[in-house]
Amino acid sequence: MAKSRIILPPSGLIVPPSVTATSNSVAEAYRRRCQDLHSRLRDLADRVARRPVLAYVPSPLQLAAHMDLRPYIFFGGANGLGKTTWLSTDLTWTAEGSHPFRRNPKPPFTIYAVSNSLEKLCYEEDQLIQLILCNFPEGHPSGQWSQVGDWTWKLYTKRGEITLAAKSDAQSIKQVAGGAPPLIGIDEQIKEPYFDEILARRARSRGW
């Protein structure tokens, strides 16, 4: 998710001559309203900086994918289409229990974030794990996070604990065998045997 910026007006507010000419009391009321608006905008900018998901406006393609209720969704396309942004937002909504279209699983549960490179997946700021974690800042009522393993995090939300586990096809298939997470997000093309095992885990979580 690209970092959003809100451009604030300068704090030194200028009262138009037409307002000043009316009366000093009207000019003062106008100045107070402008100061209040400026304060609200700064508060909004701070909240968006802490939780970028608040500024997310899906494209028509992203919205269609969010609204798709089928158990398996494939969202592919060229660079810049917003695939990772869509996926990180969808997983964030589900983790905090605010997904507007899909039923939110009840905690505790596990989310698998899967790619072909663990280092890139977990530690580059524009990649899946960091895009999810940045929406759970310390002290925020939506929840916080802590790293509990090399490739595992806990999201502490108001609803309960969610485990966020990073997986890669560079690992042994045993790393995913036996699990049954209700949510799996695959951000890059992975090797076919690993993909098949991931699908099996998803099917198991549905009782198939």
Side-chain angles (χ1 to χ4, degrees), residues 29-45:
Y30 178 85
R31 185 178 288 107
R32 283 198 300 268
R33 289 181 64 184
C34 289
Q35 289 172 338
D36 178 64
L37 176 61
H38 196 269
S39 175
R40 288 169 183 261
L41 285 172
R42 285 198 177 279
D43 179 64
L44 177 60

Side-chain angles (χ1 to χ4, degrees), residues 1 53 56 66 84-94 99:
M1 184 180 300
V53 71
Y56 173 67
H66 286 307
T84 300
T85 299
W86 162 76
L87 182 57
S88 66
T89 302
D90 209 80
L91 298 180
T92 297
W93 283 344
T94 304
H99 201 292

Side-chain angles (χ1 to χ4, degrees), residues 58-134:
S59 69
L61 285 175
Q62 290 170 323
L63 181 60
H66 286 307
M67 295 176 68
D68 197 321
L69 303 182
R70 288 173 289 188
Y72 304 96
I73 302 170
F74 178 79
F75 185 14
N79 290 338
L81 191 63
K83 303 182 295 295
T84 300
T85 299
W86 162 76
L87 182 57
S88 66
T89 302
D90 209 80
L91 298 180
T92 297
W93 283 344
T94 304
E96 66 183 14
S98 64
H99 201 292
F101 307 110
R102 195 175 304 122
R103 181 179 63 85
N104 297 290
K106 187 176 181 180
F109 61 87
T110 299
I111 296 173
Y112 280 0
V114 185
S115 187
N116 50 24
S117 168
L118 280 174
E119 288 76 13
K120 180 179 179 181
L121 172 69
C122 296
Y123 297 116
E124 291 190 12
E125 66 175 16
D126 61 345
Q127 297 300 312
L128 192 56
I129 294 292
Q130 293 301 317
L131 291 176
I132 295 173
L133 295 180
C134 71

Side-chain angles (χ1 to χ4, degrees), residues 170-187:
Q171 297 173 308
S172 166
I173 290 181
K174 293 180 180 180
Q175 292 289 327
V176 293
L183 205 61
I184 301 172
I186 303 174
D187 193 37

